Amino acid sequence: MQPWNIAHRGGAQLSPENTLAAFGRAMSLGADGVELDVQLSRDGIVVVHHDYRLNPGYTRLRGGDWLEGVAPRIKDLTLEELWNYNIGLPRPGSGYAHNHALLKDADGEGIPTLETVVRIAKIYSRYKLMVELKCGLNDDSADPITLADAAYSVVAAADFLRSTIFVGFDWRALARIRQRDPGAHLWFTTDRLSGDARPVIDAIAAAGGQGWFANFRDVTPQTIAHAKAAGLKVGAWTVNAPADMRRLMALDAICTDRPDLLAGLL
């Protein structure tokens, strides 16, 4: 069995991250699914965006200027207000543009809703969504319970739960979904761990998780074996080097900014 090829933010090195253009290109490159980030707009709509604030590195007003200084928070803008922004190409000369040199622009792309992404994904019966509940302890974040409830409701209403895996660093949000639906697919995300991963893996299993979504540096034959013994699937983020992809072929999922490279290896 080979790992799922999951395009991180839709394949962020190749297309504008978390956009419909990125998700569509990932499909065309042979990805098995995409990882995406969700937050709440001011009017309670589940939108797809990574940063808590609009990113000046790739955001400008439609037909207008690039953002400057401290950008607005996602949770302070309505869906209609969010649609006033173009996120389809990097700002020329920006650090973001420098770090995404292969990016193919899609000028005019806006911030999509989770509902729209799910509707498109349903067209492809094999396609999977890894939905990261983007929340935390900082003031820029939405309430994790409110976000979890809203995201779950969108996916459930579309009858797409079987093809959706909820992930996230804020385990409160995942616990909320587990409370609502013991059968929901939950992979608990961890950042780079400084010590023994086994107690963390055990905590994920005890919390009712079905998978460990790990920083790829923490994934070793030993931690894979421990997770499998605990009944967990294992995925890794964000794996962009071919050598690391080859090393991790025993996993259930590899999340990458370069789904094209992984598709070639698979």
Side-chain angles (χ1 to χ4, degrees):
M1 178 179 175
Q2 63 184 21
W4 294 330
N5 180 350
I6 303 296
H8 180 242
R9 305 183 200 172
Q13 287 293 330
L14 303 176
S15 303
E17 63 179 64
N18 279 320
T19 61
L20 297 181
F23 303 146
R25 189 175 185 197
M27 292 179 189
S28 71
L29 291 171
D32 298 297
V34 298
E35 182 269 354
L36 53 90
D37 307 277
V38 297
Q39 302 185 56
L40 290 178
S41 65
R42 183 160 64 87
D43 45 350
I45 306 300
V46 186
V47 296
V48 180
H49 200 68
H50 177 266
D51 297 354
Y52 290 121
R53 294 176 180 270
L54 294 171
N55 189 328
Y58 57 83
T59 308
R60 72 186 195 278
L61 286 166
R62 292 188 180 275
D65 297 328
W66 293 95
L67 295 187
E68 300 286 352
V70 179
R73 299 186 300 186
I74 299 298
K75 74 177 196 177
D76 291 334
L77 299 172
T78 65
L79 180 62
E80 183 177 358
E81 290 169 332
L82 287 168
W83 266 98
N84 289 328
Y85 295 97
N86 179 350
I87 61 167
L89 73 166
R91 181 175 187 157
S94 67
Y96 190 90
H98 176 76
N99 293 329
H100 296 75
L102 298 178
L103 191 150
K104 181 179 180 180
D105 73 62
D107 196 13
E109 282 289 305
I111 296 174
T113 65
L114 178 60
E115 181 181 7
T116 299
V117 176
V118 171
R119 189 185 315 124
I120 294 171
K122 285 190 69 174
I123 299 171
Y124 303 88
S125 58
R126 66 174 181 82
Y127 215 61
K128 298 171 180 64
L129 295 181
M130 297 188 78
V131 177
E132 178 173 338
L133 302 169
K134 189 69 179 180
C135 52
L137 298 173
N138 62 78
D139 291 338
D140 292 342
S141 167
D143 174 74
I145 306 304
T146 305
L147 175 60
D149 282 343
Y152 176 85
S153 295
V154 168
V155 178
D159 192 26
F160 203 64
L161 287 169
R162 293 187 63 181
S163 297
T164 298
I165 300 168
F166 294 99
V167 301
F169 293 95
D170 191 332
W171 293 6
R172 297 173 298 171
L174 297 177
R176 174 60 175 175
I177 292 180
R178 169 62 67 238
Q179 182 182 39
R180 289 192 57 171
D181 182 355
H185 301 298
L186 305 176
W187 290 20
F188 286 57
T189 311
T190 56
D191 211 336
R192 184 73 190 274
L193 300 173
S194 58
D196 188 352
R198 290 174 297 178
V200 177
I201 294 169
D202 292 340
I204 293 170
Q210 293 179 325
W212 175 37
F213 195 34
N215 183 296
F216 77 94
R217 296 173 183 85
D218 292 322
V219 180
T220 66
Q222 293 74 28
T223 58
I224 295 172
H226 190 81
K228 293 295 185 181
L232 299 176
K233 295 184 180 297
V234 183
W237 62 272
T238 302
V239 188
N240 292 335
D244 291 318
M245 293 175 182
R246 294 188 187 96
R247 177 177 68 84
L248 298 171
M249 284 295 177
L251 297 187
D252 297 285
I254 294 176
C255 188
T256 177
D257 290 321
R258 294 294 307 273
D260 56 330
L261 293 180
L262 182 54
L265 294 176
L266 293 173

